[in-house]
Amino acid sequence: MQSRREVLDRELDEIGATALVVVAKSSRDPDLAPFVGSAHLGSSVLVCPRGGPPRLSFLTPMERDEAGSTGLALTTPEELEVEKLFREQLDAVAIHSAVLARSLALAGVSPGRVALAGRAEAGVVHAACSRLETRGWLFLAGDEVVRHATQQKSEIE
């Protein structure tokens, strides 16, 4: 039986993507929940580089303990420069674009093809991805990647 990691890497290989990115409004997002378990989080970004460890970006300092409970490598609000982004009074698209780009970079993923999943604000995420495409990113549908990777449940699940 293949592990979730092996299935995820195989799925990413099949579509020629270097990573899976899940952008979610909360940890209850069906694409994010299998990766974060029972953690209670608001907006977050999960980056699973092909062959590398998944990394979870969370956006508020008060979620530090919940994010830590996932056991995943973390990207903190400070590393994402969230406070600075809000202080600059950027619009939602600019903030999402900056957070997404920084999350990918801190997970070691360079511009290229990535699979995108999650159920965040569709219009905002689409616009943020369009901005990043001008910087060399190509976002592919990642729903099937997540579905195949999470079909096999862990003992806890």
Side-chain angles (χ1 to χ4, degrees), residues 84-91 95:
K84 177 184 171 205
L85 295 171
F86 280 101
R87 199 172 45 246
E88 292 175 358
Q89 298 181 339
L90 299 174
D91 63 23
I95 290 170

Side-chain angles (χ1 to χ4, degrees), residues 59-79:
L59 304 185
T60 62
M62 66 190 302
E63 295 177 324
R64 195 172 311 279
D65 290 342
E66 287 290 324
S69 74
T70 66
L72 298 171
L74 301 177
T75 300
T76 67
E78 294 80 15
E79 292 171 306

Side-chain angles (χ1 to χ4, degrees), residues 92-128:
V93 173
I95 290 170
H96 275 73
S97 179
V99 166
L100 187 52
R102 193 103 170 107
S103 295
L104 285 159
L106 290 170
V109 180
S110 300
R113 296 167 58 99
V114 295
L116 178 68
R119 287 161 181 78
E121 301 169 66
V124 173
V125 172
H126 181 267

Side-chain angles (χ1 to χ4, degrees), residues 29-156:
D29 182 306
D31 290 343
L32 182 63
F35 297 95
V36 299
S38 62
H40 296 286
L41 300 166
S43 294
S44 50
V45 176
L46 176 72
V47 180
C48 298
R50 188 173 59 216
R55 189 171 186 94
L56 178 67
S57 297
F58 62 101
L59 304 185
T60 62
M62 66 190 302
E63 295 177 324
R64 195 172 311 279
D65 290 342
E66 287 290 324
S69 74
T70 66
L72 298 171
L74 301 177
T75 300
T76 67
E78 294 80 15
E79 292 171 306
L80 294 170
E81 300 179 337
V82 172
E83 188 177 313
K84 177 184 171 205
L85 295 171
F86 280 101
R87 199 172 45 246
E88 292 175 358
Q89 298 181 339
L90 299 174
D91 63 23
V93 173
I95 290 170
H96 275 73
S97 179
V99 166
L100 187 52
R102 193 103 170 107
S103 295
L104 285 159
L106 290 170
V109 180
S110 300
R113 296 167 58 99
V114 295
L116 178 68
R119 287 161 181 78
E121 301 169 66
V124 173
V125 172
H126 181 267
C129 289
S130 292
R131 283 190 185 183
L132 292 177
E133 285 177 356
T134 66
R135 294 171 30 195
W137 295 99
L138 177 61
F139 293 91
L140 310 167
D143 299 32
E144 287 297 303
V145 172
V146 171
R147 188 175 70 77
H148 288 130
T150 59
Q151 277 180 335
Q152 187 171 323
K153 304 299 181 202
S154 69
E155 208 171 288
I156 293 171

